[in-house]
Amino acid sequence: MTNLRVYVLIVAIASVYSTQLWAQKIEIGAGLGAMNYKGDISPDLQIGTAKLGGNLFFRYNLKKDLSFRASALMGSIAGDDKNSSDPFNQQRGKNFSTTINELSLTAEYNFFNYQYHRYHKDWSPYVFGGVGFMKFSPRDNPSADYKQNQIVLPFGVGIKYNIKGPWDLNLEFGTRKTFTDYLDNLGGNDPSLPKTQQNDYSKGDMYYYTSLTLSFKFIKIYCPPN
């Protein structure tokens, strides 16, 4: 019986210890930001047409310089030919609004070893890249028979800053490489459209997300006995 009690005690201590180690690597967060688009209706990035987006994420900090992140992004993009400097776009006069829901898995590389330290605030620039899945829904009826569920490749840069204790701020700019030309509900080479509504500025539309997020690390701080 004594050996059994010792075994149970060892397993319990090991479980608590491993849970603490796991918890120190876990981070959750949420944020708000601006979503922009570049494509047929907006061949140049138009800051004035930015729409609100929101994101949630779960981050696993594998090492001081490497993290993995699972994210959900919800928002919308919009564009208007009248805001373009191209006379062709201005004459065409098309506009659109599209909602986007995205799930992604990315890896982050911190240029500085980034970790919580009780004696100072830490910070680091970082880059990220990965793969995602998005569903987009145009405001108007689809102009052609195209898939609204698509694979995307998110990548970008950001800065992490420790506010206090487990609380961090992240400022990030991310680009989404897509494999569709219909985020704006207007294909660049659609024979069903009149010539006055066609162009080929983009072989695939892209969208961008600039965000400010607040995150929380599950950190166990050791307090020495008195």
Side-chain angles (χ1 to χ4, degrees):
M1 180 64 71
T2 301
N3 291 338
L4 179 59
R5 290 178 178 175
V6 172
Y7 175 75
V8 172
L9 180 61
I10 292 174
V11 171
I13 293 174
S15 298
V16 171
Y17 180 70
S18 62
T19 300
Q20 291 173 357
L21 289 178
W22 168 258
Q24 292 176 33
K25 295 178 179 292
I26 294 176
E27 187 175 352
I28 58 174
L32 293 173
M35 296 185 68
N36 294 91
Y37 140 92
K38 184 178 179 181
D40 296 294
I41 292 181
S42 179
D44 300 316
L45 187 61
Q46 298 177 359
I47 304 300
T49 58
K51 295 292 184 181
L52 182 66
N55 65 297
L56 302 171
F57 68 85
F58 170 92
R59 179 183 283 135
Y60 179 71
N61 299 300
L62 181 64
K63 298 190 297 182
K64 296 176 183 179
D65 60 350
L66 181 62
S67 302
F68 294 96
R69 184 178 68 185
S71 305
L73 169 62
M74 298 143 286
S76 61
I77 55 174
D80 197 321
D81 273 337
K82 71 179 182 181
N83 295 324
S84 174
S85 59
D86 191 318
F88 173 87
N89 288 65
Q90 294 176 1
Q91 181 181 8
R92 182 176 57 189
K94 300 285 288 186
N95 62 76
F96 82 100
S97 178
T98 297
T99 60
I100 293 179
N101 295 314
E102 174 196 289
L103 296 175
S104 65
L105 180 63
T106 56
E108 301 174 350
Y109 176 77
N110 303 318
F111 288 99
F112 305 152
N113 288 336
Y114 187 76
Q115 63 176 345
Y116 165 73
H117 195 293
R118 63 184 298 185
Y119 297 111
H120 68 88
K121 293 181 174 65
D122 207 357
W123 72 281
S124 177
Y126 66 95
V127 294
F128 70 92
V131 64
F133 175 83
M134 66 111 168
K135 177 178 176 58
F136 68 98
S137 301
R139 173 195 60 198
D140 302 323
N141 293 330
S143 62
D145 184 17
Y146 54 82
K147 294 181 179 179
Q148 297 179 18
N149 301 318
Q150 296 280 340
I151 298 295
V152 295
L153 300 179
F155 58 94
V157 297
I159 297 177
K160 300 176 180 179
Y161 177 75
N162 177 243
I163 304 172
K164 182 178 181 182
W167 296 99
D168 289 359
L169 273 180
N170 291 189
L171 178 62
E172 181 177 290
F173 174 77
T175 300
R176 271 64 175 177
K177 165 64 178 175
T178 75
F179 300 92
T180 178
D181 195 25
Y182 286 97
L183 288 183
D184 48 21
N185 201 25
L186 178 64
N189 186 23
D190 188 343
S192 66
L193 296 176
K195 293 294 184 181
T196 56
Q197 293 187 8
Q198 293 187 30
N199 58 24
D200 57 355
Y201 283 120
S202 168
K203 294 183 179 179
D205 297 335
M206 302 178 71
Y207 62 98
Y208 308 85
Y209 182 52
T210 305
S211 64
L212 183 65
T213 62
L214 179 66
S215 65
F216 178 85
K217 288 189 181 75
F218 291 86
I219 299 174
K220 179 177 176 59
I221 302 176
Y222 174 72
C223 296
N226 295 329

